């Protein structure tokens, strides 16, 4: 018993590298654990760069080779996982203030240099996507996923500090909130031999839930139910869309933040959207500067290989500061169409999709408005009702609805939302006009029957936000394991 206690006392508690690097308390025993990034040196001394994911920075471990056995040193290669006991000392070398003078090293797992895919040289993002199980170990993906974490935390903090309740809405639903028919079916029926009704259709009454169900495309409808009692709620969860868009901005499984607010009109909605976007950008600048600086440098390197006209106008951190310092431009869809019609690309026939009132704006149009014309984030409202979902509040003109899209540089649509139709009859009419089965919507309609209120909300695409913050250009690189058409590896 006494021996066990003694051994436990001798066992140095593990410190995170982030804390060690910030420490001014030197000449003490420490333990660090992590993965070897590089090893260099000569016959007498080895320098190991060790990383444990707590920061983008590595700690240098100095190994006096004569005091270790040869095999052990041989096993300390790029990718190996080790535990180091040693003394934290002030570093003589450049680039770090402290380092560890190793006393004991345990190698947990070796990484054969012949087969370990992440040797020192840099890799393309495409290649790293194919080894998504290992890409966390690169500087780039370490930075991205630390930032992703910080952004989710910031979002919860923002809402918590502003009287919002986090509402968990279901993942399995029976409705198509957006009415776009891009749903993944959830079923336990035998795919090869499903039960049939008398008229030969698949009999979903025999399915697990006794009806047709799918993975949710949005938590909004359920969030609205919560907002009509709790006032301010938000959801933050996975969302699924089977749209077959193989673009750098679309995923089949993505995360969405959907606040829903009672007593908010479209202007309050726009104010909130602008406020939360600025809040999370500021949070990133205040809390993730090491990772952002790394990504900024990486981007600048990357840009050198691009033609001049494809380079971005601002370095990453300046671009984030720019968002904080500028008001978003707000205008109506109709005004935006006028701007686009009078634009150079429209006049020269350069847009792939011609501009006409009534069209769904394409990415090229959104990006023209944001990047070329206004050079600021833009919020567009009052879209034609025919291109928007059934739940949006109808305007007096009978042509448009109180929709709102927030457009960001390099991204296009980052937020989509609206004021909701709170009038029972108008909503019921729109539902039948659009051919949505009313029997599936009775619960949604009832909130307009009992104590209805003006209310609004929006959906912020989490990965599009992370794209913007990190400056990455493909959405597959900001979610750990992307789900896209023909791809569900890992
Ligand atoms: O504009 P959307 O479709 O709006 C809704 O789903 C509403 N129910 C939101 C609401 O009012 N509560 O989607 C909202 C946002 C988009 O602006 C975009 O940022 C993101 O979700 N998004 C996607 N992100 C990645 N991959 C996809 N396939 C996406 N589809 C939408
Ligand atoms: Mg949208």
């Amino acid at each position: 018993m006494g021996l066990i206690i003694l051994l436990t006392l001798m066992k140095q508690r593990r410190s995170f590298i982030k804390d060690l690097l910030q420490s001014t308390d030197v000449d003490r025993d420490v333990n660090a654990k992590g993965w070897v990034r590089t090893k260099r040196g000569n016959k007498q001394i080895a320098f190991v760069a060790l990383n444990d994911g707590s920061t983008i920075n590595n700690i240098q471990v100095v190994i006096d080779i004569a005091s270790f056995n040869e095999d052990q040193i041989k096993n300390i290669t790029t990718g190996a996982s080790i535990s180091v006991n040693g003394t934290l000392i002030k570093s003589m070398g450049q680039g770090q203030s402290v380092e560890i003078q190793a006393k004991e090293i345990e190698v947990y797992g070796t990484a054969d240099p012949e087969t370990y895919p992440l040797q020192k040289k840099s890799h393309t993002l495409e290649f790293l996507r194919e080894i998504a199980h290992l890409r966390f170990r690169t500087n780039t993906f370490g930075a991205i996923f630390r930032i992703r974490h910080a952004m989710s935390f910031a979002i919860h903090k923002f809402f918590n500090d502003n009287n919002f309740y986090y509402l968990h809405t279901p993942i399995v639903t029976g409705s198509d909130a957006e009415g776009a028919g891009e749903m993944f079916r959830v079923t336990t029926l035998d795919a090869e031999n499903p039960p049939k009704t008398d008229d030969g259709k698949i009999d979903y009454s025999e399915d697990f839930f006794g009806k047709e169900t799918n993975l949710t495309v949005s938590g909004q409808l359920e969030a609205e139910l919560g907002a009509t009692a709790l006032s301010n709620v938000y959801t933050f969860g996975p969302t699924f869309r089977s749209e077959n868009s193989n673009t750098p901005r679309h995923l089949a499984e993505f995360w969405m933040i959907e606040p829903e607010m009672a007593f908010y009109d479209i202007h309050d909605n726009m104010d909130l959207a602008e406020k939360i976007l600025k809040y999370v950008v500021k949070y990133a600048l205040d809390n993730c500067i090491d990772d952002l600086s790394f990504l900024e440098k990486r981007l600048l390197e990357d840009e050198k290989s691009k033609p001049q006209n494809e380079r971005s106008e601002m370095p990453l951190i300046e671009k984030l500061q720019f968002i904080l310092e500028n008001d978003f431009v707000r205008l109506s869809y109709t005004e935006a169409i006028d701007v686009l019609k009078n634009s150079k690309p429209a006049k020269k026939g350069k847009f792939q999709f011609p501009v006409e009132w009534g069209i769904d704006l394409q990415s090229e149009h959104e990006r023209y408005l944001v990047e070329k014309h206004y050079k600021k984030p833009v919020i567009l409202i009052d879209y034609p009702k025919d291109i928007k979902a059934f739940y949006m509040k109808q305007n007096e003109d009978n042509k448009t609805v109180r929709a709102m899209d927030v457009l960001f540089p390099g991204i296009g649509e980052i937020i989509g939302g609206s004021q909701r139709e709170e009038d029972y009859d108008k909503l019921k009419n729109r539902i039948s006009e659009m051919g949505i089965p009313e029997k599936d919507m009775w619960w949604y309609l009832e909130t307009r029957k009992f104590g209805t209120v003006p209310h609004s909300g929006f959906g912020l695409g989490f990965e599009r936000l992370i794209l913007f913050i990190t400056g990455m250009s493909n959405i597959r690189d900001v979610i750990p394991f992307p789900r896209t058409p023909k791809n569900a590896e890992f």
Side-chain angles (χ1 to χ4, degrees):
M1 193 62 186
L3 186 67
I4 293 174
I5 293 171
L6 187 68
L7 283 175
T8 331
L9 282 177
M10 278 170 60
K11 196 175 158 235
Q12 189 62 51
R13 243 184 70 202
R14 180 224 185 156
S15 297
F16 280 100
I17 290 171
K18 176 184 172 189
D19 299 326
L20 293 177
L21 290 175
Q22 284 171 358
S23 176
T24 48
D25 177 15
V26 289
D27 301 323
R28 62 186 168 108
D29 282 344
V30 296
N31 170 269
K33 300 184 201 300
W35 293 265
V36 173
R37 283 294 172 81
T38 56
K39 184 176 77 176
R40 58 185 181 83
N42 52 38
K43 289 214 171 69
Q44 285 85 47
I45 192 158
F47 300 99
V48 166
L50 191 68
N51 189 281
D52 65 2
S54 62
T55 158
I56 192 145
N57 301 309
N58 305 323
I59 197 159
Q60 173 154 287
V61 178
V62 185
I63 305 172
D64 176 10
I65 293 183
S67 357
F68 289 83
N69 93 38
E70 209 177 303
D71 264 2
Q72 212 185 4
I73 302 291
K74 219 172 61 204
N75 280 334
I76 303 174
T77 57
T78 298
S81 49
I82 65 173
S83 171
V84 184
N85 284 330
T87 316
L88 188 71
I89 54 173
K90 234 177 129 183
S91 177
M92 297 298 171
Q94 277 194 337
Q96 70 265 332
S97 60
V98 293
E99 59 193 21
I100 300 175
Q101 180 72 51
K103 289 186 191 162
E104 282 174 306
I105 296 181
E106 183 185 346
V107 178
Y108 290 115
T110 57
D112 181 359
E114 296 293 318
T115 50
Y116 182 59
L118 292 174
Q119 297 300 334
K120 222 178 177 177
K121 67 178 164 55
S122 70
H123 303 280
T124 65
L125 296 170
E126 288 79 7
F127 170 73
L128 292 171
R129 258 170 243 153
E130 287 166 18
I131 53 162
H133 58 305
L134 295 173
R135 68 177 178 171
F136 296 105
R137 298 185 191 189
T138 62
N139 281 331
T140 301
F141 286 93
I144 291 168
F145 293 120
R146 275 187 297 273
I147 291 173
R148 188 179 161 110
H149 160 79
M151 292 298 89
S152 8
F153 181 78
I155 284 160
H156 285 300
K157 181 163 167 51
F158 174 87
F159 284 126
N160 187 61
D161 293 351
N162 285 280
N163 296 313
F164 278 75
Y165 298 108
Y166 182 24
L167 195 72
H168 295 100
T169 51
I171 292 189
V172 176
T173 74
S175 58
D176 177 4
E178 294 307 301
E182 294 161 337
M183 295 171 300
F184 290 101
R185 178 167 293 150
V186 174
T187 179
T188 54
L189 293 180
D190 180 354
E192 271 159 31
N193 189 20
K196 297 273 176 71
T197 57
D198 291 343
D199 52 359
K201 297 207 172 113
I202 294 176
D203 187 0
Y204 287 104
S205 71
E206 290 199 27
D207 205 345
F208 189 91
F209 295 107
K211 61 187 282 195
E212 269 193 86
T213 49
N214 53 271
L215 295 178
T216 186
V217 297
S218 158
Q220 175 196 324
L221 301 190
E222 290 89 352
E224 281 187 56
L225 314 181
T228 56
L230 298 166
S231 279
N232 293 345
V233 299
Y234 71 105
T235 73
F236 185 171
T239 312
F240 307 85
R241 295 196 186 172
S242 62
E243 58 187 321
N244 205 353
S245 333
N246 237 325
T247 80
R249 310 264 176 274
H250 288 89
L251 289 164
E253 176 179 311
F254 62 100
W255 287 66
M256 192 164 29
I257 297 106
E258 294 183 276
E260 196 66 39
M261 297 73 64
F263 313 108
Y264 264 50
D265 68 12
I266 192 75
H267 301 286
D268 304 320
N269 208 26
M270 286 191 276
D271 290 345
L272 184 75
E274 184 163 344
K275 187 170 161 194
I276 189 170
L277 286 168
K278 287 183 167 164
Y279 179 90
V280 295
V281 166
K282 179 162 189 321
Y283 191 92
L285 287 167
D286 290 347
N287 294 276
C288 309
I289 202 67
D290 284 357
D291 288 324
L292 288 173
S293 306
F294 171 83
L295 291 171
E296 172 171 284
K297 265 190 234 121
R298 190 193 157 279
L299 273 172
L300 290 172
E301 278 303 308
D302 208 41
E303 301 244 306
K304 282 186 193 155
S305 62
K306 288 189 190 162
Q308 195 79 40
N309 62 344
E310 281 176 30
R311 295 184 192 171
S312 56
E313 283 170 18
M314 283 181 207
L316 182 61
I317 292 169
E318 200 181 317
K319 186 186 82 175
L320 297 178
Q321 270 152 356
F322 181 84
I323 293 294
L324 294 187
E325 287 156 12
N326 287 278
D327 288 342
F328 297 4
V329 177
R330 301 177 184 196
L331 72 158
S332 72
Y333 168 93
T334 303
E335 290 167 309
I337 289 288
D338 285 341
V339 170
L340 287 167
K341 275 188 160 169
N342 290 315
S343 70
K344 256 197 207 149
K347 287 185 172 154
K348 289 188 177 168
K350 286 267 169 67
F351 285 133
Q352 195 190 339
F353 298 88
V355 179
E356 223 28 81
W357 197 95
I359 61 158
D360 208 353
L361 295 182
Q362 300 294 320
S363 169
E364 57 177 350
H365 307 133
E366 296 175 342
R367 294 185 66 170
Y368 173 83
L369 290 171
V370 174
E371 289 160 29
K372 297 280 183 304
H373 190 81
Y374 291 106
K375 297 183 190 290
K376 275 184 201 173
V378 171
I379 312 183
L380 292 186
I381 58 167
D382 294 340
Y383 281 71
K385 68 173 181 187
D386 291 336
I387 57 168
K388 290 291 181 186
F390 73 92
Y391 51 70
M392 297 192 180
K393 186 174 173 64
Q394 297 156 39
N395 282 322
E396 304 275 290
D397 64 9
N398 225 354
K399 286 193 327 203
T400 60
V401 286
R402 302 241 92 180
M404 142 188 137
D405 277 4
V406 181
L407 314 178
F408 254 38
I411 304 291
E413 180 191 334
I414 195 165
I415 281 180
S418 72
Q419 185 168 339
R420 318 306 188 188
E421 184 54 77
E422 85 270 22
D423 182 279
Y424 180 80
D425 293 319
K426 284 187 187 162
L427 182 61
K428 195 167 133 101
N429 282 340
R430 192 69 187 138
I431 284 178
S432 83
E433 242 173 52
M434 293 180 82
I436 300 165
E438 203 185 304
K439 68 169 183 18
D440 293 343
M441 286 293 159
W442 65 272
W443 44 273
Y444 187 72
L445 277 163
E446 280 207 351
T447 53
R448 275 61 171 176
K449 212 154 136 187
F450 308 120
T452 192
V453 283
H455 64 288
S456 300
F458 58 81
L460 164 61
F462 189 53
E463 285 74 22
R464 294 201 186 166
L465 172 69
I466 306 301
L467 273 179
F468 182 76
I469 305 267
T470 58
M472 298 299 289
S473 47
N474 193 313
I475 201 160
R476 292 164 182 78
D477 296 330
V478 297
I479 187 164
F481 303 105
R483 299 292 180 247
T484 51
K486 301 277 180 286
N487 171 37
E489 193 68 46
F490 309 105

